[in-house]
Amino acid sequence: MGPLFPNGLISGDWNLVFAVLIGIAFGFLLEASGFSSSRNLAGVFYGYNFVVLRVFFTAVIVAMVGLLYFNYFGWLDLSKIFILPTFLPSMIVGGVVMGIGFIIGGFCPGTSFTAIVIGKLDALVFAVGLFIGIFFFAEVFPYIEGFYYKGNLGNATLTDVTGISAPWWAFGFTVIALVAFWVSWLIEKKVRKRIKDYKF
Amino acid sequence: MKKSNLNNGTHYINPYLGGVLMGLLMIVTIFISGRELGISGAVKDTVVEAAHIISPTAAKAHPYYGQYIKEGRSPMDSWLVFEVLGVFIGAFLSGIIFKRVRKPFVEHGPNITSRRRLLVALIGGILWGFGTRLGRGCTSGAALSGSSTFSFGGVMVMLLIFASAYLFAWLFRKLWT
């Protein structure tokens, strides 16, 4: 049955209507969870607010397990969904650069958008930076094109690379997430005592 | 002690509830569209569109922009652009419901000024823009969606974003604490 659009069960126009509705739900959940505040987001790196870790890892394990069930029941053909491709060296550098951007800027792209609409000017400036960064990337692209396409593993999954099956990965992530929730809760309790200007 | 201008005492939903709903949303998204949530791709589409409007021939011949320009179709006619439009609407609805929509202001930590916050926000944004293109997506498209669909690159980018931010956290602690 699924995925509906790739299987031709809904038209391209309907797919875009769903895109807007899905976006509305995504934006709502991000804002309602507290991701529209850079100080909430940065808290995960200083131990005073682990909301990012909680929302992020809960979402990942729910989606992983859910997708496996959907596949098992035959509702969703996982061979027809998009798997993010892997280009080793460029994505390693990209991840590191984004991490530095995160600790300096306090947002990631999606969270900055949710902060703009509730009136945060720092988020607006961050978003302007996004456009500049992408424009700059396109300008230097001719010089780094070789690097950009290097180490192409195609649409590699964890199973392709490690030989360990997807259910085991889902199980492993779930265990790690539960331990992380517990440990981060302990850390947060301690660190929050030192922070006085911030009510939780 | 200096005060930050944080809107204190605001109500957020339970993070685990938010996470479960976000996980279910990802399943629904994949079930309907066969693709995943993302953000930075839409910004890229917008930059490509701008380049195409400013100089159609140069953009088509450009090694990066050119690969995203199709005959007879706007680069912004993309699933992600429509989805991001929804993100703005959804976040605004949440802001209204939880009374967080305010007159424009700059949120910053207790030890920095508004001007400094704006400067570092700009630098952070530029780094993110550049990083997302190398990383094939941001926290949404690469880290969250990539990891959820068992993509090797997605998990790698997710771990690197967090590891790198933790590594540099001490250096930039004045910005936040």
Side-chain angles (χ1 to χ4, degrees):
Chain A
M1 189 164 54
L4 300 181
F5 175 64
N7 280 339
L9 294 171
I10 56 167
S11 70
D13 289 343
W14 273 108
N15 196 26
L16 293 181
V17 172
F18 282 117
V20 177
L21 296 175
I22 288 164
I24 290 174
F26 189 36
F28 189 97
L29 289 175
L30 287 172
E31 206 291 321
S33 301
F35 284 22
S36 55
S37 162
S38 58
R39 297 203 68 207
N40 290 347
L41 298 171
V44 72
F45 303 113
Y46 299 98
Y48 64 81
N49 193 339
F50 282 97
V51 62
V52 170
L53 180 121
R54 291 183 185 122
V55 175
F56 191 97
F57 274 102
T58 308
V60 168
I61 58 181
V62 166
M64 276 184 161
V65 174
L67 288 175
L68 292 176
Y69 271 105
F70 268 57
N71 191 46
Y72 179 74
F73 291 133
W75 298 339
L76 183 64
D77 183 355
L78 286 188
S79 68
K80 284 191 176 157
I81 71 166
F82 174 75
I83 304 290
L84 187 81
T86 302
F87 298 84
L88 282 175
S90 54
M91 283 169 81
I92 290 172
V93 175
V96 172
V97 171
M98 285 188 264
I100 302 171
F102 208 160
I103 205 67
I104 296 177
F107 285 115
C108 62
T111 52
S112 76
F113 291 176
T114 68
I116 291 172
V117 292
I118 64 161
K120 290 186 182 164
L121 288 171
D122 44 326
L124 184 66
V125 171
F126 178 96
V128 171
L130 283 179
F131 285 87
I132 298 172
I134 292 176
F135 174 74
F136 179 68
F137 175 83
E139 288 304 301
V140 299
F141 184 75
Y143 307 101
I144 58 170
E145 197 170 352
F147 177 73
Y148 182 77
Y149 290 114
K150 229 166 140 179
N152 183 1
L153 302 186
N155 302 87
T157 61
L158 290 167
T159 307
D160 296 334
V161 176
T162 62
I164 298 165
S165 71
W168 279 110
W169 278 108
F171 178 72
F173 267 89
T174 307
V175 172
I176 293 168
L178 293 178
V179 172
F181 295 154
W182 181 65
V183 173
S184 62
W185 177 71
L186 293 178
I187 296 173
E188 198 180 71
K189 264 207 309 189
K190 269 195 168 162
V191 177
R192 282 189 177 186
K193 283 183 193 147
R194 284 195 272 121
I195 297 201
K196 301 215 163 48
D197 73 303
Y198 196 87
K199 207 166 91 191
F200 295 96
Chain B
M1 164 148 203
K2 275 179 271 178
K3 279 271 181 198
S4 75
N5 59 351
L6 190 84
N7 194 8
N8 271 337
T10 185
H11 179 74
Y12 297 121
I13 62 170
N14 181 294
Y16 299 109
L17 173 67
V20 168
L21 293 175
M22 205 177 282
L24 295 176
L25 176 65
M26 282 198 279
I27 298 169
V28 169
T29 306
I30 292 168
F31 180 76
I32 294 174
S33 303
R35 54 162 304 139
E36 289 109 45
L37 302 171
I39 300 286
S40 64
V43 186
K44 180 261 294 166
D45 292 334
T46 313
V47 174
V48 174
E49 175 87 65
H52 190 235
I53 289 170
I54 293 164
S55 172
T57 41
K60 257 180 233 164
H62 191 277
Y64 191 71
Y65 296 134
Q67 53 183 315
Y68 299 107
I69 297 170
K70 308 250 167 5
E71 211 49 61
R73 193 158 164 235
S74 156
M76 278 182 81
D77 182 8
S78 79
W79 193 92
L80 277 181
V81 169
F82 281 86
E83 181 236 37
V84 166
L85 190 70
V87 168
F88 280 108
I89 300 168
F92 187 65
L93 286 176
S94 170
I96 295 276
I97 289 170
F98 295 105
K99 300 190 172 61
R100 276 191 287 269
V101 181
R102 285 175 54 177
K103 262 199 304 197
F105 73 110
V106 180
E107 186 190 31
H108 58 81
N111 294 315
I112 58 167
T113 60
S114 290
R115 267 181 67 173
R116 192 166 186 88
R117 169 66 191 131
L118 290 178
L119 178 71
V120 294
L122 181 69
I123 296 168
I126 293 171
L127 287 170
W128 266 106
F130 195 87
T132 58
R133 294 307 88 212
L134 283 176
R136 270 67 170 185
C138 59
T139 344
S140 304
L144 182 69
S145 305
S147 301
S148 300
T149 49
F150 303 94
S151 156
F152 178 76
V155 173
M156 187 177 78
V157 168
M158 182 258 287
L159 293 175
L160 283 166
I161 290 175
F162 282 99
S164 146
Y166 272 109
L167 193 68
F168 290 96
W170 190 80
L171 209 59
F172 296 105
R173 66 193 182 285
K174 271 276 174 290
L175 298 179
W176 305 108
T177 57

